[in-house]
Amino acid sequence: MNVPVSPVPDFGPALPEILLAVTALALVLIGAFRGDGAKKLIDGIAITALLVAGLLLIDQSPGRVSTFNEAFVVDSFARVMKLLTLIGAIAAIVMSTRFLREAKIARFEYTILILLSTIGMMMMCSANELISLYLGVELQSLALYVIATMNRDDEKSAEAGLKYFVLGALSSGMLLYGMSLVYGFTGSVTFPAIAKAVSAPGGAGVMFGLVFIVAGLAFKMSVVPFHMWTPDVYEGAPTPVAAFVATAPKMAAVAMTVRILVDGFLPVLKDWQPIIIFVAIASMGLGAFAGIGQRNIKRLMAYSSIGNMGYALVGLAAGTIAGVEGIVIFMAIYLAMTIGVFAVILAMQIDGRRVEQITDLAGAARTNPGLAFAMAALLFSLIGIPPLAGFFAKFYVFAAAIEAKLFVLAVIGIVTSVVSAYYYLRIIKVMYFDEPAPAFQPMAIELKSLMWLSAGFVILFAIVAGPLKNVAQLAAKSLF
């Protein structure tokens, strides 16, 4: 009897993920034999692997390819979002090396967990069905829960990791429950088949499942009403971990949200659009008003990220090519601004003691003019002052909303952006007009490099605006 042999899947599209997985396994062996003394070697190998993975992504053909029985897809959108994720992961490792050593928590497992989390994020960007999406989400999340509590002797770090884990488990349950409902009512887990099923009349059950899916996705993006963990994790986790949580996972979370709603549920845009509009408005509002009273700069950045994810969802609410294009541009600029700000936060060190209060930046323009200038440029960009990059980030998502006739949403976004300007301007006022606080220690070369790269990007954005817009346009068109 002839037994049919299933064809061997094409591993080419998943080569970057395979490379990172093999590297992570090799690094586990190196760490097991050489211990924490191999941390510097492991960091170097991990950064090299991440750079090679990025080059492999750039080298891939520009079309849309899929493998593993349509479970894994690579298109222009996935490539761009994966590249942004890789940049966030590299920055997190670079920022963490000196910090972890000085805090006496330098363990080789940290870098390996960053790699494993990055593999999960890349899977989230390329998932073309619910099962592979969930596997990516869990691989990313489990690694993040551990690194959030790297400083085990610190109560705040332990509390942050516990809150992150408990609420993350709840969100994973909601996501999985929603997926099971969608599968039950459509009979499929692949996004194209789901899109075909929901376009037929009588999909009330599917919509019920979609609500739970959106709730799970909202937690991963840290948007209202599933934002509760964000300020505590940002404040309690070691600062490089907070920088990582604020950057790379946000790229992957937004990417998977866009893909599942556009690839799988675009035929019922009018059903999920009100949910996204509500979440966007609530997130922009909370990010603007709750940030006003913050004194800890890491908590302030947590509320800033909640507001910024709300702005990104404005583009998704439009449900158009222009909206997705705006999201890609927004996320690229958000990544650069956030890396730069966290590089400054990591440089806030006085007499070997790390400080996190906004008042610790007092008079920085006189004690450290370079740091103050770069920080001011990044903060003006976060406000959205032209001609800095942040202006264009918000412009493209608001323009997409106006084009989709979501005028109220765009107006609310502009108003909340003006309100949030208060707490960004307050930091600039503290740096330039308050009496100087004790000066910071000299800035580490890696932090200074990241700070100036980010500040240079937001200041000279006009130079790369055209190419970035073209890349974003190709990414958006690949989804439609």
Side-chain angles (χ1 to χ4, degrees), residues 172-245:
S172 294
M174 288 192 291
L175 186 64
L176 199 58
Y177 181 57
M179 288 176 175
S180 65
L181 287 174
V182 169
Y183 171 66
F185 284 103
T186 63
S188 178
V189 292
T190 60
F191 296 156
I194 290 170
K196 187 175 179 181
V198 299
S199 59
V206 178
M207 290 306 103
F208 190 64
L210 180 60
V211 169
F212 280 94
I213 289 176
V214 171
L217 299 175
F219 176 90
K220 302 305 176 187
M221 289 186 289
S222 69
V223 292
V224 177
F226 301 98
H227 64 283
M228 297 81 69
W229 60 274
T230 315
D232 292 327
V233 171
Y234 275 48
E235 183 183 6
T239 305
V241 176
F244 182 57
V245 172

